[in-house]
Amino acid sequence: MEEQMIRFIDDEILGGSGHGVSVDDEIVLDGTVDSLGVTRLLDFIEESLGVAVPAEDVTIENFQSVGSLCAYLRGRAEHLEEAAS
Amino acid sequence: MSLRSASPHSRWTYLLPHLVEQAAEWDATHDAIRHRQDCLTYGQLFSRSSQLAHALIADGVKPGERIGILLRKGLDSAVALYGIMSAGAVYVPIDPTAPASRIAFLVRDCGITRLVTSDAMVAALEGLENEGVSLVTVYGVSDNAASPYPSVAWEDMTGFPEALPNLSTTEQDLCYILYTSGSTGTPKGIMHTHRSALSWAEITASVYRLGPEDVISNYAPLHFDLSTLDYFGGARAGATTVIIPEEYTRFPASLAKLIASEQMTVFYTVPFALVQLAAPGILDDLELDQLRLVLFGGEPMPVKHLREVMEKVPRAQFVNVYGPTETNGCTHYPIDRSLLGTTTSLPIGRPYPNVEILVLDDEGRSVGVGDSGELLVRTPTLMRGYWGGRDLNEGAFHMVTERGGLAEVYHRTGDLVSPMRDGNLRFLGRMDRQIKSRGNRVELDEVEAILLANPDVHEAAVYAVPDDAGILEIHAEAILTATSAVEEKDLLHHLRSALPAYAVPVAITMRTSFPRTSTGKIDRIAMQAEPNATMTAGGRR
């Protein structure tokens, strides 16, 4: 999941011109992901990973790095599975 | 302490730095500015800004000199703006995220040779050096930060006096210049005096009953005029201003929690932020009883979303604030909750106290209820003029001879309004092609010119369309040259290198032809009426 997300950020958000992000880079604080970037990231997560992120979970803590975002998404998937069973 | 007066301002205040001096005399330990975990009391803000002022004067700064502020939002911004003004100089806030070419233009246009900046901005300083910009000194940069320009660190200023320098500055002198984009395609600097800014601080502190117990948000960056109410209205009242870190403006759920945890009592923002906060789940389960006043301005607010957000903050008074940067503020509309159900568009209200308005048609005659005309304003909060542009000033100001044959100066806002039966004004739009998108002023013709400057672009058209929420989005369409193989992302990259992020279109649609008017001109109005259905970005929520 991390690799997929990094590829999306590098290719689509940084337009291939970027330096390449790593798992722990502070993508929110360093400005890599701007407001439009957040929207595109959410679309990507919904379309490619099949997870809809509720508005109240779109927080700085969850989006601060690729690592934190993937950790949140795994937790979210578990939560949804538990709720469904 | 029992001897202190009921108001922090019992003495004569005629310069903006006096606001901080007197708030510090009243209660030096009261929080003036907070940012993340950090805080400056009024005593600390007064000491540090005074030391900066002395350091600037010792370094040769002259009264009236323009000094740039190139900083991300933070406590140093507050020190910088008061320090610069305390030295009798004029602060010019610069968007720290702007491309180097735009910063270089602004620095040259305004004759800036010194900046207050930080170690984090050294890459931007290198960009300026590459643009051939020469600077005398940069302040707030440490010795080991490898600045391309001579630097003075904050530590070097601690030996200077912690009191205002003796100056011959008067309230008629300039205190700041805010740059916007201009209708000729180049940004223009709007010059304000201590008097015009102080008048705005006095009007807002009085009308909104700001007091020392208030905690006021600072949502807007310094180069955006909303920030003057946050800083100067707040200091006039001896209140606490909480700087909202930039990334919170991208994460409404985090912003909502910050409003609650910082116990903000006054939140001043742009409509776009309120639209985001209105989304389901964002404001639920938060303790917001302390929030008494929600001010918003900069562009029209969609009523549908306003209703949603007002339902979630039932105790706050919501106010639509209107006024071009040239005037600080003109009119406001405190919203009557009982009337909101029937309204489709929000009035901009009535003039503030001490502000007079006229609505004139093309012939210069006052228009009646229901008719439309240009809004003209006479106010003590009015700018001195545009930096370096005498010809522009002639269009911005208009003399009206009425009472006793005396000619009075009005500002032509360029905004179309209509007087309503109940005495409020309705906003109809800009008279030219200048728009506001998410609170930022954008010249559509400037964006078009830059897109057209790309050698692969044959023709270009840029226009604004309200999205689902009623917020104006910038769209572009392009006809490429016959041999070109560029893609949308290449053109967006081209625009991003020359424009601030908010002025870059959300999408560029490639076409083989444009709709035309009968005279052969590109018909942008037809494009606006039928925005391309394939556009993807920005439509969420």
Side-chain angles (χ1 to χ4, degrees):
Chain A
M1 190 195 288
E2 278 82 352
E3 277 177 28
Q4 215 179 337
M5 200 170 289
I6 285 172
R7 209 174 315 128
F8 176 80
I9 293 171
D10 281 350
D11 294 348
E12 299 299 323
I13 292 183
L14 296 173
S17 62
H19 48 286
V21 295
S22 63
V23 173
D24 295 324
D25 277 357
E26 301 231 347
I27 55 175
V28 166
L29 278 179
D30 71 13
T32 298
V33 176
D34 60 9
S35 54
L36 198 56
V38 175
T39 306
R40 293 170 71 183
L41 210 46
L42 286 168
D43 287 341
F44 165 75
I45 291 167
E46 195 166 339
E47 283 162 23
S48 302
L49 307 176
V51 184
V53 182
E56 66 263 35
D57 287 351
V58 184
T59 61
I60 295 167
E61 295 76 37
N62 288 340
F63 277 69
Q64 63 184 346
S65 68
V66 170
S68 68
L69 189 50
C70 291
Y72 160 75
L73 289 172
R74 290 197 181 92
R76 174 83 188 156
E78 272 174 35
H79 171 78
L80 289 176
E81 272 169 33
E82 275 171 31
S85 62
Chain B
M1 279 297 157
S2 61
L3 286 177
R4 75 186 184 188
S5 60
S7 155
H9 299 288
S10 47
R11 290 202 288 109
W12 192 19
T13 306
Y14 63 92
L15 301 177
L16 287 174
H18 291 153
L19 297 178
V20 176
E21 180 184 42
Q22 296 191 19
E25 276 176 20
W26 189 66
D27 185 354
T29 65
H30 195 65
D31 286 1
I33 311 282
R34 288 204 294 262
H35 177 253
R36 301 188 197 277
Q37 311 311 320
D38 301 324
C39 169
L40 283 176
T41 63
Y42 273 103
Q44 291 166 330
L45 177 58
F46 182 65
S47 298
R48 280 196 59 195
S49 58
S50 295
Q51 287 174 333
L52 172 58
H54 285 283
L56 293 173
I57 292 166
D59 203 32
V61 168
K62 297 284 181 291
E65 181 173 338
R66 281 80 51 214
I67 300 181
I69 300 178
L70 183 65
L71 284 170
R72 294 193 184 278
K73 289 166 92 177
L75 297 183
D76 287 350
S77 309
V79 174
L81 64 91
Y82 284 113
I84 291 167
M85 293 189 293
S86 298
V90 182
Y91 82 82
V92 186
I94 301 171
D95 180 358
T97 65
S101 57
R102 198 166 178 99
I103 298 176
F105 166 83
L106 197 153
V107 165
R108 288 204 178 95
D109 185 67
C110 211
I112 290 169
T113 60
R114 302 165 202 269
L115 296 175
V116 180
T117 181
S118 72
D119 290 4
M121 286 289 136
V122 164
L125 295 177
E126 285 164 358
L128 278 183
E129 199 197 25
N130 290 338
E131 292 281 334
V133 170
S134 58
L135 294 174
V136 174
T137 315
V138 294
Y139 305 87
V141 179
S142 60
D143 297 341
N144 51 11
S147 160
Y149 301 108
S151 62
V152 175
W154 289 113
E155 299 84 69
D156 301 336
M157 304 180 204
T158 52
F160 285 100
E162 300 176 20
L164 287 180
N166 282 321
L167 288 172
S168 57
T169 309
T170 79
E171 65 171 27
Q172 303 294 346
D173 290 314
L174 296 188
C175 62
Y176 59 80
I177 299 178
L178 298 184
Y179 267 79
T180 64
S181 55
S183 50
T184 54
T186 49
K188 58 187 172 189
I190 294 169
M191 305 187 292
H192 275 283
T193 63
H194 287 271
R195 183 68 260 157
S196 61
L198 204 49
S199 292
W200 179 232
E202 284 165 349
I203 286 172
T204 51
S206 168
V207 167
Y208 300 124
R209 296 193 169 86
L210 304 179
E213 68 288 348
D214 272 314
V215 179
I216 303 170
S217 70
N218 170 233
Y219 180 91
L222 274 192
H223 60 274
F224 189 178
D225 71 335
L226 262 60
S227 62
T228 60
L229 188 158
D230 310 336
Y231 279 99
F232 307 135
R236 176 68 181 76
T240 301
T241 298
V242 175
I243 299 172
I244 295 172
E246 191 275 329
E247 72 274 12
Y248 281 76
T249 62
R250 284 175 273 155
F251 292 91
S254 299
L255 174 60
K257 285 178 193 143
L258 188 70
I259 294 170
S261 68
E262 281 283 0
Q263 300 264 302
M264 291 184 199
T265 61
V266 180
F267 182 53
Y268 185 21
T269 190
V270 292
F272 177 65
L274 292 183
V275 170
Q276 288 185 313
L277 289 173
I282 299 283
L283 287 171
D284 306 341
D285 308 323
L286 287 176
E287 178 56 58
L288 292 173
D289 279 356
Q290 82 291 340
L291 184 58
R292 68 175 182 88
L293 192 61
V294 177
L295 308 170
F296 55 90
E299 65 185 331
M301 172 82 205
V303 178
K304 184 180 78 172
H305 295 288
L306 181 63
R307 271 190 211 112
E308 291 165 2
V309 77
M310 282 179 69
E311 275 165 22
K312 292 177 178 182
V313 193
R315 294 181 55 162
Q317 171 70 61
F318 282 69
V319 184
N320 187 16
V321 175
Y322 163 84
T325 307
E326 285 87 340
T327 65
N328 281 302
C330 295
T331 67
H332 76 151
Y333 182 70
I335 293 155
D336 181 340
R337 283 176 183 269
S338 65
L339 295 179
L340 193 63
T342 55
T343 314
T344 50
S345 77
L346 213 54
I348 55 172
R350 300 164 197 258
Y352 284 102
N354 208 13
V355 175
E356 190 181 21
I357 58 161
L358 291 172
V359 184
L360 301 183
D361 65 13
D362 294 346
E363 315 280 305
R365 292 174 303 224
S366 280
V367 308
V369 169
D371 291 335
S372 67
E374 183 180 7
L375 180 64
L376 281 80
V377 189
R378 175 173 171 246
T379 170
T381 60
L382 183 58
M383 67 166 177
R384 166 73 67 78
Y386 297 117
W387 172 256
R390 205 162 283 179
D391 49 336
L392 284 168
N393 289 349
E394 287 170 17
F397 297 120
H398 185 70
M399 303 296 281
V400 177
T401 307
E402 277 186 342
R403 299 164 188 162
L406 281 176
E408 298 289 353
V409 178
Y410 283 74
H411 170 59
R412 300 185 67 128
T413 62
D415 283 338
L416 273 180
V417 301
S418 178
M420 296 164 67
R421 198 170 302 281
D422 61 6
N424 287 300
L425 289 177
R426 189 180 294 288
F427 176 80
L428 302 174
R430 292 289 304 158
M431 296 182 71
D432 55 17
R433 291 241 301 146
Q434 187 183 66
I435 63 148
K436 280 214 170 173
S437 178
R438 299 184 179 182
N440 296 292
R441 197 184 286 209
V442 178
E443 302 282 354
L444 295 176
D445 292 333
E446 183 191 9
V447 182
E448 223 172 65
I450 290 168
L451 183 55
L452 200 55
N454 186 299
D456 285 291
V457 175
H458 177 58
E459 280 195 283
V462 174
Y463 53 93
V465 184
D467 68 6
D468 298 344
I471 302 282
L472 283 180
E473 277 187 347
I474 301 163
H475 289 237
E477 303 194 8
I479 300 173
L480 299 179
T481 55
T483 55
S484 171
V486 294
E487 292 174 34
E488 180 188 13
K489 68 172 175 13
D490 305 315
L491 296 181
L492 286 172
H493 183 73
H494 164 76
L495 288 172
R496 281 192 199 106
S497 68
L499 287 168
Y502 57 76
V504 176
V506 295
I508 304 174
T509 309
M510 307 304 180
R511 286 197 182 243
T512 51
S513 68
F514 284 154
R516 305 275 171 177
T517 64
S518 57
T519 54
K521 289 180 183 166
I522 298 172
D523 192 350
R524 294 178 188 83
I525 293 166
M527 290 178 172
Q528 241 168 335
E530 225 173 6
N532 195 294
T534 60
M535 287 169 187
T536 52
R540 198 182 182 90
R541 280 186 286 275

